[in-house]
Amino acid sequence: MSNQTVNFSEEAIAECHKIIKRYPAGKHKSALLPILHIAQAENEGWLSSATMDKVAEIIGITSVEVYEVASFYSMYNLKPVGKCVLEVCRTVPCWLNGAEELVSYLEKKLNIKAGETTKDGMFTIKTVECLGSCGTAPMLQCGANYHENLTNEKTDALLEQLKAENARKSYTDII
Amino acid sequence: MGKKLLLEHINVPGIQSLEVYRKMGGYASVEKAIKTMSPDEIVEEVKKSGLRGRGGAGFPTGMKWSFLAKPAGIPRYLVCNADESEPGTFKDRYLMEKIPHALIEGMITSSFALGANTSYIYIRGEYFYVSRIIERAIEEAYAAGWLGKNILGSGYDLDMYVQVGGGAYICGEETALLESLEGKRGNPRIKPPFPAIKGLYDCPTVVNNVETIAAVVPIVNHGGDEYAKIGIGKSTGTKLISAGGNINKPGVYEIELGVSVEEFIFSDEYCGGIPDGRKLKACVPGGSSVPILPADLLLKTSTGENRLMSYESLSEGGFATGSMLGSGGFIVYDERACIVRSTWNYSRFYHHESCGQCSPCREGTSWMEKILHRLEYGHGRSEDIDLLWDIQRKIEGNTICPLGDAAAWPVAAAIRHFRHEFEYHAKFPEKVKDTKHTPPPMPIRVAVG
Ligand SMILES: Cc1cc2nc3c(=O)[nH]c(=O)nc-3n(C[C@H](O)[C@H](O)[C@H](O)COP(=O)(O)O)c2cc1C
Ligand code: SF4
Ligand code: FES
């Protein structure tokens, strides 16, 4: 299992140890969710079992404790994803304002279905539930950024910009 | 213009910074609390204010605080619920993003009142950028001596941390939130024991919503009695309403509780009416978990009174003809919206978000989603409507946490008020196969109740 490479920069490891200190003695497991976000950002946007084993080692808990948590929450990807994951909200308030049309538009434009990744590994479309941006629908999240009040033109411009930047987007990107 | 307590300074340039926030009178409640009041006196003011939890359930905050166990030698915690995932709700994000110190100030004053020396703000993971804003505000507060050791020379110590979640609606439920904060799956705990006795790390804990905590600031500054003068009856103070759906001016509004629903939807001060002169069809007034109301019952109660934006008025008539204020997630539907598609969408949401511990919730939400899907896509049968009714009834009240009820109520209310649309779907499958089909007209209501 553990023949996949795992990346953790020195700064990332230091950040993990800083997080662990936020909790009372013996409660280091509390650091798991924040550290999984760092692990995912450091490892191409997803968590392999080798990456999760490394997280277990950093925190000092068992691997099973990491797997069961990672599989519960929707922000952790357990399979490879594109550099830019386009997370489109499709819950009712967004639906009332064109979320379904936005998903179809992206599907047509990128020539993939929701849940899939483009061949060049650039984009993944993921449908998600309410992101707390219901007043600015339709919208999508990519990394840390919310892109709101999307029209077809704005969506085109966003895709162009992401392609030009050609960078992986992570939730932990500071903006 | 209604009175603004939370958003009064929202448009002041630079209000995100401690410096400007201070200039506008910020942190006065911390000074007043720590220098001139005892913790019990603060709890007393919060009780007098009549403040009710702004997270959705509306439980009186002062009473909740007075339940907190205080065994000697055991730490107590204040945990802020910033998980905000109830569809239609985006007020906490707005408050934290625009005026982060309002939350930090409320957290310090509240922590002092509860005798907590460590507090956590649990923010949904998707709001990562908001967590950075809050973290910066916390750093500023430490640097200025509002956090850390011996605050204002009083001997009171407080540390504050932000925790990000991993994406799970259920972590808004307070015991699931505590599990998640302990680094586990977000499975709600069986209550009792309540968090006030055994919460975070098995220690006495208070969990409060962002807006509730921010409201403690004006309560301490002006006194509970003054706060209670605002609003109507037992719905005291102001409330943040996040309005979305088919309205001209979606956004977050601070209202004095008691504004009429009609004014809220149609006046230019708030939602500004329905786009393109379309008709108002329905509304879910308090976040996806509360019952949907058709326009007539939304604007007037069954007894013909004007419906008001207050806990009491919105729930007037019980579930037969009323709904709830809930989280203040106000979702407006115009005449084009198909209620079956909306209900299917909600059921998919609850099915996706069920933690899976209780079979009525795990299985029931899955069945409801499937049945609603087939009705919506033109494969339904007329028996499906009674089947849905039966399933939702068997979920309600039979689960560990209220997510089960929250999944059942939208289905029940949709059938109660829009049964003709469900029947139309079952009877005319070819007419609903197109995902953008027009719903049938609303029948004339003969009698309500
Ligand atoms: C499924 C579910 C989701 C919830 N989500 C939230 C939430 O996102 N934010 C929140 O403040 N309360 C939420 N609550 C309510 C909390 O359990 C709890 O009542 C609240 O945090 C208490 O704070 P308050 O008294 O200040 O409202 C949720 C409850 C349930 C059952
Ligand atoms: S009601 Fe649903 S979400 Fe709540 S504990 Fe049971 S299965 Fe989990
Ligand atoms: S419904 Fe899409 S952000 Fe709330």
Side-chain angles (χ1 to χ4, degrees), chain A residues 15 18-19 21-24 26-35 37-38 61 64-76 87 89-101 127-137 139 141 143-149 170-175, chain B residues 77 84-90 93 118 120 122 124-129 132 135-136 161-168 170-171 176 179-187 200-201 243-247 250-251 331-334 336-339 341-346 348-349 352-355 377 435-436:
Chain A
E15 178 70 15
K18 212 172 106 193
I19 291 173
K21 290 210 190 76
R22 289 179 193 165
Y23 314 98
K27 306 298 179 191
H28 47 284
K29 186 173 170 178
S30 279
L32 181 49
L33 273 71
I35 288 181
H37 281 300
I38 294 175
I61 56 179
V64 179
E65 289 175 283
V66 180
Y67 304 160
E68 65 171 16
V69 164
S71 60
F72 184 85
Y73 296 92
S74 65
M75 292 173 78
Y76 305 122
E87 302 188 70
C89 170
R90 56 167 173 176
T91 317
V92 170
C94 279
W95 162 68
L96 286 169
N97 283 300
E100 288 179 357
E101 290 78 359
T127 49
V128 298
E129 304 295 352
C130 183
L131 291 172
S133 183
C134 331
T136 34
M139 61 82 62
Q141 174 166 25
N145 285 315
Y146 275 31
H147 301 278
E148 304 175 290
N149 294 313
S170 300
Y171 299 121
T172 53
D173 292 344
I174 300 176
I175 48 165
Chain B
Y77 294 101
E84 190 167 75
S85 317
E86 172 89 357
T89 317
F90 47 98
R93 171 183 165 210
T118 309
Y120 295 96
Y122 182 100
R124 65 178 298 183
E126 294 88 342
Y127 287 179
F128 230 109
Y129 80 97
R132 294 282 196 242
E135 273 171 356
R136 279 198 287 271
Y161 304 100
V162 172
Q163 175 89 347
V164 288
I170 191 59
C171 291
E179 287 285 296
S180 182
L181 184 45
E182 292 179 5
K184 301 180 214 155
R185 297 166 79 99
N187 287 342
L200 183 63
Y201 310 129
N246 304 132
I247 47 173
I331 310 165
V332 178
Y333 297 68
D334 72 28
R336 299 167 308 172
C338 169
I339 299 300
R341 195 166 189 81
S342 166
T343 312
W344 160 62
N345 189 309
Y346 287 134
R348 187 204 60 222
F349 171 81
H352 183 255
E353 302 300 336
S354 166
C355 83
Y377 283 86
T435 56
K436 300 232 41 118

